[in-house]
Amino acid sequence: MARRTWDESDVRIRANKRGSRPRTKQRPTHEDAVIVRVVAVDRGRYTCVVGEDEEQPRTVTCVRAKELRRRPIVPGDLVGVVGDVTGAPDTLARIVRIEPRATVLRRSADDTDPVERVIVANADRLVLVLAAASPTPRTGFVDRGLVAAWDAGITPVVCMTKSDLADPTEFLDYLHDLDVITLSTQRATDRGERPEAGIHEQSLAVSPDSLERLRSLLDGHVSVFLGPSGVGKSTLVNALTGAQRATGGVNDVTGRGRHTSSSARALTVPGTRPGTWVVDTPGIRSLGLAHVPEEELLNAFTDLVPATADCPRGCLHTEDSPGCALDAWVHRPGASPAAPQRLESLRRLLAASRGQTQRGDSEKQLGQAIT
Ligand SMILES: Nc1nc2c(ncn2[C@@H]2O[C@H](COP(=O)(O)OP(=O)(O)OP(=O)(O)O)[C@@H](O)[C@H]2O)c(=O)[nH]1
Ligand SMILES: [Mg+2]
C-alpha cells in the first residue's frame, strides 16, 4: 500500500485478548437517587410515583439498571431512581436499587414448584377476597391465603363480597375460632343508599356502609387484594380509590370470573392518611405454597395448634399418624362445627406440601379448592 494512502484506520491496535475492556466491579452508589414507589409493572417498564406524601405526587416511567439483573421489581417496591424524574411525557428514569423490603408476598405455581413469584412488596395487610356466591367461595383458598399472609408477616383480612347474593355467615363461621378480621360487602341498592357527598360515584357498586368499614381497616396501611377471578377485587378497589379498573362479569355456566385484570396495580385511597395504598391483583386459580416450610403450615391453623401438644413427638399429623391428638380434639364435645373440616384442610395442605398427591390429583384438588 502506498504510504500516501494511509489513514488512521490503518493503524493496528492490538485489542485486549477478551475483546473488551474489563468491567469494573465497582458500581456507582447513586447517592442522589430519589426514592419512589413502584405502582405497576408492564413489560420492562415500571410506573412509579414520586413524592407520595406530597400534595402533588408525580408519576414517572422507569427502566431498570443492568446491574439489578433479574431481581424482581414488583408493585409496592420502594426503589432508588436516577435520571429524569419530572414525569414529563416521553421521559424515562432508571431504577438503580431496590430498598430493603418490609414484607414480601410470594406464591408458587403449585405446591411442589420451587419457582416462586413475588406478588407484591411492603404490604402489611392481605385482603383475601371471596364472593358469598358466584363464584362459590372455597375454604381451601382462605386457608392458603392465611398461610401465605402469616408466613410473610402480613396481617390477613377476609372480605366476602356479593353478600347481596347470598348470606356469608355460614362461610365465615369456618374462621370463627381464628384471630382474623372478617367483613362482608355488598352492592348498594339503588333505592336509598346513595353515596355520601365527596365519595366517588363508583361507590354505588359497593354499599357505602361496608365500604366505610373497609376503608377504615385499610387506613394507613399498604393492602393487597388477592382472590379468585370474578369475586369483585377491582370493583372494591375502584370504589375505594375512584380508579376505573376494568371489571367483568362471571361466566353464567361455570360461575367463574373472566380474568379481567391482567396485572397488579397500586393505588392511593382518597380520604385516608398518607401512605395508604391498595394493590389490585389479577384473579388467581391457585395459591401455591411451595415456598412455605411444612412446619409453618400448622401455625396458620391457630385453632388446632394447642391440641398438638398431646401428639407423640415428631407426629406428622396425617390421617395415619399413630396417636395424632387432632382427630379426638376436633370431634370432642363442644368443638366448633368447623373443626373437622379445618383438620381435613390442614391435612390436604400437609400432603400437598410433601408432594404426596399425584400431579394430576393435585391439580384437580387445587382447582376444586380454589377457583
Ligand atoms: N351482586 C354483586 N356483584 C358484584 C359485587 N362486587 C362485584 N360484583 C360484580 O362481580 C363481577 C366481577 O367483578 P370484578 O371487580 O371484575 O372482579 P375481579 O375480582 O376484579 O376479577 P378479575 O379481575 O378477573 O380477577 C362484576 O360484574 C361486578 O359488577 C357485589 O358486591 N355484588
Ligand atoms: Mg379485577
Side-chain angles (χ1 to χ4, degrees), residues 241-254:
T241 65
Q244 309 218 333
R245 303 260 301 165
T247 59
V250 294
N251 183 313
D252 290 339
V253 180
T254 62

Side-chain angles (χ1 to χ4, degrees), residues 16-242:
N16 162 311
K17 247 199 264 162
R18 294 172 61 213
S20 62
R21 193 153 52 95
R23 297 186 89 204
T24 165
K25 289 252 162 36
Q26 280 172 354
R27 295 273 162 253
T29 51
H30 291 298
E31 262 145 36
D32 55 339
V34 182
I35 305 300
V36 303
R37 190 181 293 271
V38 178
V39 295
V41 179
D42 183 16
R43 287 163 293 176
R45 289 279 191 273
Y46 300 85
T47 309
C48 303
V49 167
V50 187
E52 62 178 63
D53 298 336
E54 293 163 17
E55 211 139 274
Q56 290 280 310
R58 336 184 269 288
T59 302
V60 293
T61 306
C62 305
V63 288
R64 63 156 72 220
K66 266 214 180 106
E67 62 254 35
L68 292 177
R69 302 187 191 217
R70 291 175 170 272
R71 284 181 61 193
I73 300 176
V74 295
D77 258 327
L78 292 168
V79 293
V81 299
V82 295
D84 191 337
V85 290
T86 58
D90 300 327
T91 59
L92 270 185
R94 189 160 51 99
I95 300 176
V96 290
R97 64 168 180 267
I98 307 169
E99 295 292 295
R101 293 161 167 165
T103 63
V104 180
L105 180 65
R106 310 163 199 273
R107 65 180 281 232
S108 53
D110 67 39
D111 291 327
T112 48
D113 184 349
V115 181
E116 59 184 54
R117 231 180 307 160
V118 179
I119 305 173
V120 68
N122 297 319
D124 59 349
R125 286 259 193 272
L126 172 60
V127 184
L128 296 167
V129 187
L130 290 109
S134 179
T136 312
R138 303 285 176 196
T139 51
F141 176 78
V142 181
D143 288 331
R144 283 169 177 273
L146 295 179
V147 170
W150 279 318
D151 175 62
I154 301 176
T155 306
V157 172
V158 175
C159 177
M160 295 226 63
T161 58
K162 309 197 189 184
S163 55
D164 51 303
L165 299 183
D167 183 359
T169 323
E170 198 185 320
F171 186 88
L172 290 176
D173 278 348
Y174 179 72
L175 303 171
H176 187 263
D177 289 347
L178 294 181
D179 194 11
V180 176
I181 305 167
T182 59
L183 83 161
S184 53
T185 63
Q186 65 278 319
R187 172 167 284 168
T189 53
D190 287 340
R191 282 167 284 113
E193 281 195 276
R194 306 302 301 179
E196 304 153 30
I199 295 183
H200 197 272
E201 263 296 300
Q202 290 235 10
S203 54
L204 259 185
V206 183
S207 99
D209 286 354
S210 54
L211 194 62
E212 204 36 63
R213 168 121 203 270
L214 183 58
R215 196 196 319 269
S216 60
L217 272 176
L218 308 182
D219 196 355
H221 298 280
V222 177
S223 310
V224 49
F225 286 56
L226 198 70
S229 177
V231 293
K233 299 178 293 298
S234 304
T235 305
L236 285 177
V237 166
N238 285 348
L240 284 164
T241 65

